[in-house]
Amino acid sequence: MAKSGKAFDFKLFKRLLKFTNSYRLVFYFVAFAAIAMSLLAIVRPELIQLAIDKSIIPKDGDGLQYYILLMVAALVVEVLFQFAFIFYANWLGQSVVRDMRVKLFNLMMGFRMKYFDKSAVGRLTTRAVNDIETISSIFSQGLFMILSDLLKMVVIAGFMLYKSWQLALIVFAMLPLLLYATRLFQRAMKVAFEEVRNQVADLNSFVQERISGMKIVQIFTREETEYKRFKQINEKHKKAWIKTVWYNSIFFPIAEMASSIAIGLIVWYGGLNAAGGGVITLGIITAFIQLAQMLFRPLRQIADKFNTLQMGMVAANRVFGILDTKSHIDDSGTIQMPQSKGEIVFKNVHFGYNEDEEVIKGISFTVQPGETVAIVGATGAGKSTIINLLNRFYEIQKGEIRIDGVNAKEYTLESLRKQIAVVLQDVFLFADTIFNNITLNDPSITEAEVVAAAKEIGVHKFIQTLPNGYHYNVKERGSMLSSGQRQLIAFLRAYVSKPGVLVLDEATSSVDTYSEELIQNATEKITKGRTSIVIAHRLATIKKADKILVMDAGKIVETGTHEELLKKENGYYRNLYEVQFMAEEAV
């Protein structure tokens, strides 16, 4: 990881260059173009000197025309190289960031849920979009531009010494001041850009969360409070950028001043020498004025390009921070799970989202193939955690989970999760068509199969009432549908995947009566003959369950059927029934 304040991290840069290995020919061509441009830089000043000394002063019109034609030819060649250099440097940068973005996104899709629990969505979005785009500028505006400018400076310096060592020394005398200022500038900008990226990430995260949670903001009339917080965060963002502007406003006038002083000294010394009949000619003085500008301009540009390079390096440092994250569920299983029979065994399972705080405290239970097991208990009892553990979204700390007699860890993650369909209480739909939300773009599931499945569970009529039916776009998070409709889509999504095990969080607290009836019918249909674990919120579901697990504070306190559990005097389930379900039953 790059350290803040360090001017350049070669280890990080070397790692970044590995992403260019697939594009070596383009990389070498851009490097060659940079070298060619540096050599071409001295051609025009040399031709100007020759034109003045050999044509203009002797008043040779034909010779002047010849030199003008040469200058035009040199300019055309320089323009062609510059075009190729800029185009392919940018092409290389975009190709690298495309590969990095694909790798990053693929990696993030395999992260544990624990990673996303602790990471702000806005910050991850900044890494995957803004930061990676900034990395492209390393190649398009940073690395090769700096290489080209450095080579140009070396060639120009050598050419100056060859033409007139006296004038060259005058120009070089200004370089230590400019190099020292450049060094200080680079170090200061490294720290400043680190702060800028931090503030950009904070701003993105804040805006993303408030837009996503706008309903809560407005329900609780927090607009004024959130506005004030946004102003504070935005002010910090502005201050971070102002710091970079401050450093630029100091450095560039110093660079311009050094260039102007050098040109003034060239005209003074060279003019006196030429007037006194010395070896310095008018052509050489004119060439040196242009060469001095060409020498100092790349130095100023190098500082500017180094800013770009450093911003890219800061961004690369952040992206590699995610690429180096070890937050994957162990997928070392080798067994491909066939169509699951649906036998599930939890044996003395312990788990905590934080290692020192257990949420599941040594639970054991067995679900037979085809059984429907309802899990009931107060909020925070650990019901939803069982769903997460069954899918291996989190790793258990102790115990064993077996499916069809095999430890869940021995199955490949993909084959395990394909056999377990989950319908959550909080249904997530993508900004896409209903059909694509049901199939999740699985090409093996046809529209005919989806329609047939929808008819089976009683959802087809509802979908047909929507504009364009199965091709109706539900917009972001399914905002165009009611909560009940979203849940029906989730049921259909689970049903068409033909899972061996079905897990339902079947809350309907915010669902209208019509949708609730459809959901009850859909629940009965998709659980029939299939192993089902249901976090039960309705009495109707609980009564129909083959077995009820009653949870409290991470433990299973009672097990049995509805009738068996009601017979237990002062039992946990009976108390829960009397408080929560009797009113529902009366209705």
Side-chain angles (χ1 to χ4, degrees), residues 497-517:
S497 68
K498 300 181 177 69
V501 177
L502 186 67
V503 181
L504 301 177
D505 188 347
E506 46 89 75
T508 54
S509 56
S510 58
V511 173
D512 59 83
T513 307
Y514 175 71
S515 295
E516 184 170 359
E517 192 176 324

Side-chain angles (χ1 to χ4, degrees), residues 115-125 201 205-206 208-209:
Y115 179 84
F116 296 105
D117 293 341
K118 295 183 176 181
S119 301
V121 175
R123 192 170 289 272
L124 291 177
T125 304
S205 184
F206 183 89
Q208 191 273 335
E209 286 181 350

Side-chain angles (χ1 to χ4, degrees), residues 335-358:
I335 301 174
Q336 289 287 332
M337 183 187 277
Q339 184 65 31
S340 177
K341 297 172 186 173
E343 183 193 43
I344 300 168
V345 177
F346 271 59
K347 189 176 179 183
N348 193 32
V349 171
H350 290 258
F351 170 76
Y353 292 100
N354 299 313
E355 290 186 12
D356 55 341
E357 296 176 21
E358 276 197 345

Side-chain angles (χ1 to χ4, degrees), residues 87-244:
F87 177 81
Y88 284 106
N90 279 276
W91 184 92
L92 181 65
Q94 289 301 320
S95 298
V96 166
V97 299
R98 177 199 61 194
D99 295 347
M100 288 189 76
R101 191 174 279 130
V102 167
K103 184 175 181 179
L104 182 68
F105 185 74
N106 187 47
L107 189 78
M108 286 198 297
M109 285 196 296
F111 281 165
R112 304 181 188 190
M113 289 299 113
K114 188 175 182 179
Y115 179 84
F116 296 105
D117 293 341
K118 295 183 176 181
S119 301
V121 175
R123 192 170 289 272
L124 291 177
T125 304
T126 300
R127 299 290 176 272
V129 181
N130 301 54
D131 284 340
I132 286 190
E133 194 59 45
T134 304
I135 291 171
S136 71
S137 62
I138 290 178
F139 300 96
S140 61
Q141 300 173 43
L143 168 67
F144 293 114
M145 288 288 191
I146 290 173
L147 175 66
S148 176
D149 286 346
L150 284 173
L151 286 171
K152 195 178 289 183
M153 288 173 67
V154 170
V155 171
I156 288 170
F159 187 69
M160 280 179 158
L161 286 169
Y162 168 74
K163 282 292 177 182
S164 171
W165 65 267
Q166 299 100 320
L167 291 180
L169 290 178
I170 289 173
V171 175
F172 296 165
M174 300 306 299
L175 286 179
L177 170 64
L178 204 51
L179 288 170
Y180 180 67
T182 302
R183 182 70 172 169
L184 291 178
F185 179 65
Q186 289 166 356
R187 287 184 176 276
M189 289 301 279
K190 174 66 167 59
V191 178
F193 281 135
E194 182 76 43
E195 179 63 18
V196 165
R197 299 312 303 167
N198 278 331
Q199 294 304 327
V200 167
D202 288 346
L203 189 64
N204 282 353
S205 184
F206 183 89
V207 172
Q208 191 273 335
E209 286 181 350
R210 269 57 190 182
I211 291 175
S212 298
M214 189 57 69
K215 186 180 286 186
I216 298 298
V217 171
Q218 293 184 0
I219 285 172
F220 290 94
T221 62
R222 306 300 292 170
E223 293 94 335
E224 186 65 27
T225 303
E226 297 302 332
Y227 171 69
K228 288 177 180 176
R229 289 184 65 192
F230 177 78
K231 282 183 71 175
Q232 290 172 354
I233 292 171
N234 200 32
E235 181 65 22
K236 288 181 180 177
H237 177 258
K238 185 200 81 172
K239 285 180 178 177
W241 272 109
I242 290 295
K243 194 178 286 186
T244 68

Side-chain angles (χ1 to χ4, degrees), residues 108-117 327-331 346 351-353 383-397 401 403 408-409 412-414 416-424 426 440 493 503:
M108 286 198 297
M109 285 196 296
F111 281 165
R112 304 181 188 190
M113 289 299 113
K114 188 175 182 179
Y115 179 84
F116 296 105
D117 293 341
S327 186
H328 287 77
I329 294 288
D330 176 31
D331 191 14
F346 271 59
F351 170 76
Y353 292 100
K383 305 186 296 296
S384 296
T385 302
I386 289 176
I387 296 175
N388 290 329
L389 298 182
L390 187 61
N391 276 280
R392 290 194 66 207
F393 290 141
Y394 299 88
E395 293 283 31
I396 60 176
Q397 271 99 42
I401 300 173
I403 301 174
K409 291 184 179 181
T412 62
L413 264 181
E414 185 180 5
L416 169 72
R417 290 176 179 170
K418 272 189 174 180
Q419 287 301 312
I420 303 171
V422 181
V423 179
L424 296 172
D426 183 20
L440 296 177
R493 178 194 286 168
V503 181

Side-chain angles (χ1 to χ4, degrees), residues 216-330:
I216 298 298
V217 171
Q218 293 184 0
I219 285 172
F220 290 94
T221 62
R222 306 300 292 170
E223 293 94 335
E224 186 65 27
T225 303
E226 297 302 332
Y227 171 69
K228 288 177 180 176
R229 289 184 65 192
F230 177 78
K231 282 183 71 175
Q232 290 172 354
I233 292 171
N234 200 32
E235 181 65 22
K236 288 181 180 177
H237 177 258
K238 185 200 81 172
K239 285 180 178 177
W241 272 109
I242 290 295
K243 194 178 286 186
T244 68
V245 173
W246 167 251
Y247 293 140
N248 276 298
S249 62
I250 293 173
F251 173 75
F252 287 103
I254 290 174
E256 192 64 38
M257 182 182 68
S259 175
S260 299
I261 292 172
I263 291 172
L265 290 173
I266 289 170
V267 172
W268 171 72
Y269 180 84
L272 289 176
N273 187 282
V279 293
I280 297 174
T281 65
L282 184 60
I284 290 175
I285 294 171
T286 307
F288 257 80
I289 290 172
Q290 190 174 6
L291 287 167
Q293 289 174 328
M294 291 171 69
L295 182 69
F296 285 115
R297 190 185 305 123
L299 193 57
R300 293 200 301 272
Q301 288 176 347
I302 282 175
D304 195 27
K305 296 299 182 286
F306 209 92
N307 293 345
T308 302
L309 182 62
Q310 285 186 322
M311 278 193 81
M313 293 295 283
V314 169
N317 190 36
R318 293 172 179 277
V319 172
F320 282 131
I322 297 179
L323 289 174
D324 292 338
T325 300
K326 305 298 181 187
S327 186
H328 287 77
I329 294 288
D330 176 31

Side-chain angles (χ1 to χ4, degrees), residues 478-493:
S479 60
M480 302 304 289
L481 303 178
S482 70
S483 56
Q485 290 171 331
R486 288 197 295 271
Q487 198 160 40
L488 288 167
I489 297 301
F491 273 103
L492 190 50
R493 178 194 286 168

